Amino acid sequence: QKLRRASLFEQPILLIGESGVGKELLAREIHKSSPRKGKDFFPVNCANFSRELIASELFGYTKGAFTGADRDEKGIFEKAEGGIVFLDEIGELDISLQANLLRVIQENKIRKVGDNKEIPVNIQLISATNRNLHQEVNNHRFRKDLLYRLNTLTFNIPPLRERVEDIEPLAEFFMDKYNRLFTAKADDYVMKKLDKSAIDYLKTLKWSGNIRELEQLIQRVAIWCDNKSISKKDLSEYHEPEHNDENSIDLSDGLNAYLTNLEKEIISSYLKNHNYRQNLVAEKLKIGKDTLNKKIKRLGIIVKEESLNE
């Protein structure tokens, strides 16, 4: 509701949140609600381009601006006339280009690579990041004046683990989505439904990959599991947690402590999910059983007595 209200005013909007929380999805919802909904929506991931490529991608270039530039080419800011440009991972934008972006916001003008004249543009800018841009400013990797322009309307999107009430409707939405999709693709596909143990299990997970990780898990289960009723056991078999990105890793106790805790967490999770069958866990982790036993003792992992000789 807040995003829809913000969309009416056509001011720069900044979405802040971990990878996988749905920042682009929300940006598209803003577009649908905005006065610019009849115009195009242009998503650009700033992390996918080098400094040189992102400059020509956004601002365009003139013939002869660089080797291979055999004609004038419009950039996204020109192509998006009247529409919305979504700059994902804005924190990755090279600082030398940030002044150019500031001019787009302040003056509604761009200058193509290799040109000396400015061109007026009419766009709305939505930006997104998983970084702390104030910290980036302190580290001289992001312009303070650009940050103030970008965060006219700022929305902090909480990670999935902090909005547990969203997990059940999202999981059921994805299950319905893939039931319909795969039924159309395979005649022998079995329609599936999550049971209560599955929902309860989903609510206990950390979701480092957020909604993206949840959708991938439901997709894997929909493809590989033959059961009509999906249980906790089914989900745990196909759950492959995403690795944390650098902004969500807590290294306050040092790298060695972090790696030790991570190793303990992985082994404990595998033991629990495979009923403490150590031969199977060793096989899954691609280590010897003796090595697994040593790690269990070193890390202080509690296992069931009956599993020690399995």
Side-chain angles (χ1 to χ4, degrees):
Q1 290 172 343
K2 289 180 179 178
L3 283 166
R4 286 184 181 131
R5 178 171 176 78
S7 71
L8 300 176
F9 299 96
E10 303 186 84
Q11 298 299 308
I13 293 175
L14 178 62
L15 306 176
I16 300 174
E18 294 178 7
S19 295
V21 294
K23 297 187 289 294
E24 182 171 342
L25 181 66
L26 291 172
R28 290 183 182 276
E29 286 300 311
I30 294 171
H31 176 241
K32 290 178 185 177
S33 305
S34 77
R36 298 173 182 261
K37 61 185 177 183
K39 298 293 185 178
D40 288 331
F41 176 90
F42 282 83
V44 181
N45 190 319
C46 298
N48 288 347
F49 298 92
S50 66
R51 177 191 174 280
E52 292 75 16
L53 283 177
I54 193 69
S56 56
E57 184 78 10
L58 291 176
F59 299 97
Y61 55 85
T62 59
K63 182 178 179 180
F66 49 82
T67 303
D70 55 359
R71 66 186 184 279
D72 288 356
E73 186 66 38
K74 289 183 177 181
I76 284 176
F77 288 138
E78 268 191 283
K79 294 176 183 177
E81 181 67 20
I84 289 178
V85 175
F86 173 59
L87 294 182
D88 198 7
E89 305 302 345
I90 187 70
E92 303 287 341
L93 189 66
D94 190 278
I95 196 164
S96 63
L97 293 177
Q98 292 175 19
N100 299 21
L101 181 59
L102 183 64
R103 187 149 184 80
V104 175
I105 300 171
Q106 289 179 325
E107 306 293 337
N108 296 316
K109 293 178 180 178
I110 64 164
R111 180 178 295 167
K112 289 184 176 184
V113 176
D115 205 352
N116 56 10
K117 66 176 184 294
E118 292 185 322
I119 302 170
V121 292
N122 173 24
I123 61 163
Q124 181 183 1
L125 192 66
I126 302 175
S127 305
T129 184
N130 59 9
R131 293 191 176 193
N132 183 331
L133 293 185
H134 290 282
Q135 186 63 49
E136 293 295 290
V137 169
N138 292 338
N139 293 334
H140 308 291
R141 290 193 293 261
F142 205 84
R143 292 178 62 110
K144 182 187 292 187
D145 49 2
L146 177 58
L147 175 58
Y148 288 150
R149 287 289 183 175
L150 289 175
N151 71 352
T152 304
L153 298 170
T154 302
F155 292 88
N156 288 281
I157 306 161
L160 187 56
R161 61 185 172 275
E162 292 181 10
R163 42 192 174 109
V164 178
E165 68 279 2
D166 287 349
I167 291 175
E168 182 173 356
L170 283 168
E172 291 179 343
F173 169 80
F174 291 132
M175 185 59 78
D176 179 63
K177 170 184 174 179
Y178 289 110
N179 274 334
R180 287 186 284 107
L181 178 62
F182 296 151
T183 298
K185 290 181 177 291
D187 294 336
D188 60 347
Y189 178 77
V190 177
M191 297 281 284
K192 300 169 178 66
K193 184 176 177 62
L194 298 163
D195 71 12
K196 185 177 184 303
S197 72
I199 296 297
D200 290 343
Y201 173 71
L202 291 175
K203 291 179 179 179
T204 67
L205 299 177
K206 292 187 176 181
W207 300 118
S208 59
N210 290 291
I211 298 171
R212 184 187 298 120
E213 182 185 346
L214 173 60
E215 180 173 9
Q216 289 174 345
L217 172 58
I218 299 299
Q219 186 176 4
R220 283 195 293 270
V221 171
I223 292 174
W224 297 116
C225 188
D226 293 326
N227 299 332
K228 291 183 180 180
S229 181
I230 303 299
S231 67
K232 169 186 175 180
K233 184 175 182 298
D234 296 319
L235 289 176
S236 62
E237 183 177 351
Y238 295 103
H239 183 223
E240 300 173 2
E242 288 196 0
H243 296 296
N244 287 329
D245 60 50
E246 65 175 275
N247 298 294
S248 60
I249 293 176
D250 181 7
L251 292 178
S252 56
D253 293 326
L255 178 61
N256 289 337
Y258 173 79
L259 293 175
T260 299
N261 289 334
L262 181 61
E263 184 179 27
K264 182 175 181 179
E265 183 179 320
I266 291 172
I267 293 175
S268 298
S269 176
Y270 268 76
L271 286 166
K272 182 179 178 181
N273 291 339
H274 295 286
N275 296 317
Y276 295 90
R277 295 164 59 194
Q278 293 185 37
N279 283 335
L280 179 57
V281 170
E283 181 183 337
K284 292 279 186 182
L285 295 175
K286 294 181 172 57
I287 59 176
K289 185 180 176 184
D290 289 343
T291 301
L292 177 62
N293 276 322
K294 290 178 182 178
K295 288 180 179 291
I296 288 172
K297 291 176 182 177
R298 176 173 59 83
L299 297 168
I301 298 172
I302 299 174
V303 298
K304 293 181 179 179
E305 288 295 328
E306 59 267 28
S307 73
L308 293 177
N309 295 318
E310 289 186 359

